[in-house]
Amino acid sequence: MRSIARGLGLGSAAMALTALTALAWPGTAGAAPAGTESLYAPSALVLGVTTGADADTGTVVRAVTLVCAPTPGGTHPDPVAACGELLANGSQLDPLAAPAADSVCTREWNPMTVTADGVWEGRRLNYTYTFANPCGLRNTTGVLFDF
Amino acid sequence: MRSIARGLGLGSAAMALTALTALAWPGTAGAAPAGTESLYAPSALVLGVTTGADADTGTVVRAVTLVCAPTPGGTHPDPVAACGELLANGSQLDPLAAPAADSVCTREWNPMTVTADGVWEGRRLNYTYTFANPCGLRNTTGVLFDF
């Protein structure tokens, strides 16, 4: 019996744990009962678009939420794809924000800044990326900031 | 006609705008079509509970989302009450995090930190509050960090 249990490996154990979590709180989309710890590392972000180059003083013109654990959700228009990009890139968001290599933009200075704030895999995350003008934002490589 | 329009006052105009917003994007819970600006100031937060006194290096043991515009939502267990507290306190969260005056706690040092990151009424918000031990967190004044 012992050898069978060991034979499951970490991957299967983690999958079983995820399934158990989903069963335990089916209606709350990621919130455990108050005062308890989640059985998974929390991943939830607020993504924003701010006018200007300074995220702390500029006006946030739009914002969405993105939850990636235990399942993708939030007000982001495509949570499944956005969470997939984050899983592939970890907390390194520059490759997702940067304009695609084949995009053609003018170069005037009319900055827009995107922000990602919250928690990624159990660690606090605060991220900003500034585009020279709105054209760069319209041509981001990923779907994460496409909202 | 002009006098009637003026007679509505700012409060009614704001209510009408909120209703219009809700009608415009009924299925997306606060997300405007990509590339457009919201007709309301965005308010969306990720609230977290972290072990230790340093929110940037500690482990986030649980986290929820809270959306307050155009309507309360997210994975927070009581979005309506939590948004009401925020509206009453603005972005000054200390009165909501601090333990209630009548709470009785021991004084050992076993710190827990709560965080609020995201956007409040169109401005980026990053907030932390550290409790000496979990008893303080269990006795917060508000419902905002009660999850």
Side-chain angles (χ1 to χ4, degrees):
Chain A
M1 189 59 194
R2 182 163 201 161
S3 62
I4 293 172
R6 280 198 307 220
L8 286 169
L10 184 60
S12 301
M15 278 168 56
L17 195 61
T18 305
L20 182 68
T21 309
L23 285 170
W25 307 295
T28 51
T36 65
E37 296 183 16
S38 300
L39 293 178
Y40 51 87
S43 289
L45 298 171
V46 173
L47 308 167
V49 174
T50 303
T51 55
D54 186 340
D56 292 325
T57 60
T59 298
V60 184
V61 291
R62 53 186 187 273
V64 296
T65 59
L66 178 66
V67 176
C68 292
T71 54
T75 63
H76 190 286
D78 192 346
V80 173
C83 289
E85 287 183 353
L86 283 167
L87 282 170
N89 284 270
S91 54
Q92 303 303 310
L93 304 192
D94 279 352
L96 302 176
D102 60 353
S103 62
V104 178
C105 285
T106 53
R107 303 181 72 131
E108 85 276 11
W109 184 242
N110 176 22
M112 300 286 284
T113 300
V114 292
T115 56
D117 292 287
V119 178
W120 179 251
E121 294 187 341
R123 297 280 164 185
R124 193 180 190 205
L125 175 70
N126 299 111
Y127 173 83
T128 70
Y129 186 100
T130 298
F131 300 91
N133 57 59
C135 175
L137 175 56
R138 284 194 300 271
N139 289 277
T140 55
T141 305
V143 303
L144 184 68
F145 292 108
D146 186 14
F147 57 85
Chain B
M1 188 59 194
R2 184 162 200 163
S3 63
I4 293 172
R6 280 199 305 221
L8 285 170
L10 183 62
S12 301
M15 278 167 56
L17 193 61
T18 304
L20 181 67
T21 308
L23 285 169
W25 307 297
T28 52
T36 65
E37 295 183 16
S38 300
L39 294 178
Y40 52 87
S43 289
L45 298 171
V46 173
L47 308 167
V49 174
T50 302
T51 54
D54 185 340
D56 292 325
T57 60
T59 299
V60 183
V61 290
R62 54 187 187 272
V64 295
T65 58
L66 178 66
V67 176
C68 292
T71 54
T75 62
H76 190 286
D78 192 346
V80 173
C83 289
E85 288 183 352
L86 284 167
L87 282 169
N89 284 270
S91 54
Q92 302 303 310
L93 304 192
D94 279 352
L96 302 175
D102 60 351
S103 62
V104 179
C105 283
T106 53
R107 303 181 70 131
E108 83 277 10
W109 184 242
N110 176 22
M112 301 285 284
T113 300
V114 292
T115 55
D117 292 287
V119 179
W120 178 252
E121 294 188 339
R123 298 277 165 187
R124 194 180 189 205
L125 174 70
N126 299 110
Y127 174 83
T128 70
Y129 186 99
T130 298
F131 300 90
N133 59 59
C135 175
L137 175 56
R138 284 194 301 271
N139 288 279
T140 55
T141 305
V143 304
L144 184 67
F145 292 108
D146 185 15
F147 57 85

